[in-house]
Amino acid sequence: MMNIVILLAAVLIVAILVTIFRAHTLVQVVRGKEGDPMGTSNKVNGALFMVFLILGTVAFFVYSYTEFDRYTVPVASEHGEVTFKLFWITTAITTAVFIITNAVLFYFAWRYRYKEGQKAHFYSHNNTLEMIWTFIPAVVLTGLVLSGLFAWQDITSKAPANAEVIEIFGYQYAWASRYPGPDGKLGPSDYKLIDSDNRLGVDFSNPNAKDDFIPREIHIPKGEPVLLKIRARDVIHSVYMPHFRLQMNAVPGLPTQFWFIPTKSTADMAAETGNPDFQYELVCNKICGKAHFSMRAIVVVDEKEDYEKWKAEQKSWLSKNPDYLANIEATSPVQVAVEEKVSGEEVNTSL
Ligand SMILES: [Cu+2]
């Protein structure tokens, strides 16, 4: 509500200024001063540039300072510290350049506005200046790009062999996760196996999939490497966990992955933020359809012992859906095809 009032006030002030300005011009015409090629508009526009510069700078700093906690969340992963530092170095450099160039741009528009009798100085070129403003940005940008490239190489390097492997599966409009169970191996999957029961299309007839479990909540252990194996069912989604500074697209037909080490448990973070209801979240960061906003999953970071306890309590998907394999065998395309062939019909078995 307050924002609407402020917006209306701003529109009103601009309308009043325009009206005053028009009235002033009209008065000048009546007085017979319309011979002045610029009138007062030039001065007014020059002054408005300065007003915009000063108000804009104040608003920029006030917003950045007062809303700081809304656009920065505490870091909770090892590599997150690296990306956070990179982010702030880049932001500091680009903000400084942005402020200097824009301050000069707006100030000059006012300072060098048209004045009668004042002639513009013709300045063709200056090689030294050209060298300086080509060389310095080139060096700074190369430094920023290379540091980002090395950090990314480091972050996306091969996951340690002891990493906890968890599958993250995105679909319109939710996330599912799958854990390998006691054997430590995720069973294979195939989109052709997706149906209303087997939403992830896991090949549950494969021995590695027999103990896989699909929990309601995603749990991960603190201080241990976690490898997310990411898949999508329908369109491109994006796995985004802001506290871990983690983002990776979930692409149908193209498995992706990301590994990281969480450094703070959910309880640690609740204490740090002073919010007893604190929850880590996994949200979709790719606009993927009309219910994109609802693609949010809770992630719980446990201490190692609690994580192991939670894992041991989980029941495999097959034990919760005992009839699945029998049903599949009865209705699988190959089975149907064979039966129909027996009855003499021509069928395509390449499904
Ligand atoms: Cu999405």
Side-chain angles (χ1 to χ4, degrees):
M1 189 61 201
M2 198 56 199
N3 287 348
I4 297 173
V5 173
I6 293 172
L7 188 74
L8 283 177
V11 170
L12 206 64
I13 289 170
V14 171
I16 291 170
L17 283 175
V18 169
T19 316
I20 292 174
F21 177 64
R22 279 189 157 184
H24 186 75
T25 315
L26 214 60
V27 169
Q28 277 198 325
V29 172
V30 172
R31 282 182 184 166
K33 284 189 181 169
E34 76 271 35
D36 182 356
M38 288 297 164
T40 46
S41 72
N42 198 48
K43 238 188 215 163
V44 172
N45 281 326
L48 283 177
F49 269 96
M50 286 308 285
V51 170
F52 185 82
L53 172 64
I54 293 163
L55 289 184
T57 311
V58 171
F60 173 75
F61 278 103
V62 168
Y63 177 84
S64 304
Y65 183 73
T66 55
E67 301 294 313
F68 186 79
D69 288 341
R70 260 163 38 114
Y71 59 86
T72 47
V73 292
V75 181
S77 72
E78 275 189 9
H79 76 270
E81 301 288 349
V82 178
T83 44
F84 200 50
K85 212 166 96 188
L86 265 179
F87 169 78
W88 279 113
I89 291 171
T90 310
T91 304
I93 293 173
T94 49
T95 306
V97 174
F98 173 82
I99 289 173
I100 293 167
T101 49
N102 280 277
V104 170
L105 179 73
F106 282 86
Y107 172 70
F108 280 11
W110 176 72
R111 175 77 180 79
Y112 298 108
R113 67 191 184 279
Y114 168 81
K115 276 182 205 140
E116 217 180 329
Q118 182 173 285
K119 216 175 153 208
H121 175 64
F122 179 69
Y123 196 77
S124 62
H125 74 285
N126 181 328
N127 283 340
T128 318
L129 212 55
E130 295 279 353
M131 293 282 275
I132 291 172
W133 69 38
T134 305
F135 189 70
I136 294 179
V139 170
V140 173
L141 285 176
T142 308
L144 288 179
V145 169
L146 284 183
S147 54
L149 200 67
F150 291 141
W152 183 247
Q153 255 178 359
D154 200 26
I155 289 164
T156 53
S157 59
K158 207 168 175 294
N162 64 338
E164 282 289 322
V165 179
I166 302 168
E167 180 177 73
I168 302 289
F169 184 81
Y171 59 98
Q172 288 173 319
Y173 295 96
W175 296 103
S177 62
R178 178 163 65 112
Y179 289 68
D183 68 352
K185 286 179 190 148
L186 280 171
S189 57
D190 187 332
Y191 73 92
K192 284 180 250 175
L193 296 169
I194 293 174
D195 60 27
S196 56
D197 295 321
N198 186 1
R199 289 176 305 149
L200 277 63
V202 178
D203 179 4
F204 283 108
S205 63
N206 186 290
N208 289 341
K210 298 236 146 103
D211 57 351
D212 289 4
F213 65 89
I214 299 174
R216 280 174 178 276
E217 251 177 1
I218 301 169
H219 281 242
I220 51 176
K222 172 182 156 185
E224 301 286 322
V226 175
L227 171 61
L228 302 182
K229 293 200 167 244
I230 301 163
R231 286 196 297 136
R233 186 174 74 183
D234 29 46
V235 297
I236 300 179
H237 302 278
S238 194
V239 174
Y240 178 45
M241 295 157 129
H243 296 89
F244 306 121
R245 300 299 189 269
L246 183 163
Q247 184 177 321
M248 182 56 73
N249 280 359
V251 188
L254 180 75
T256 52
Q257 58 180 43
F258 200 108
W259 78 272
F260 67 109
I261 301 176
T263 49
K264 296 169 189 169
S265 69
T266 298
D268 292 343
M269 202 54 133
E272 185 181 323
T273 56
N275 173 13
D277 301 322
F278 175 82
Q279 297 275 28
Y280 286 110
E281 58 178 13
L282 184 179
V283 288
C284 181
N285 205 9
K286 190 75 70 187
I287 298 185
C288 58
K290 62 180 175 181
H292 160 68
F293 67 91
S294 66
M295 279 188 76
R296 179 176 182 261
I298 300 296
V299 178
V300 181
V301 181
D302 291 318
E303 296 293 339
K304 175 91 172 131
E305 315 81 68
D306 297 334
Y307 174 73
E308 294 300 341
K309 210 172 121 213
W310 171 83
K311 226 165 61 162
E313 284 166 3
Q314 302 304 308
K315 294 200 169 57
S316 72
W317 189 85
L318 270 186
S319 70
K320 286 181 178 171
N321 299 271
D323 301 334
Y324 174 76
L325 281 181
N327 287 344
I328 278 299
E329 265 156 37
T331 57
S332 77
V334 177
Q335 189 74 18
V336 173
V338 170
E339 279 166 12
E340 288 183 2
K341 200 151 205 165
V342 170
S343 68
E345 279 184 42
E346 200 53 48
V347 287
N348 183 2
T349 53
S350 65
L351 282 170

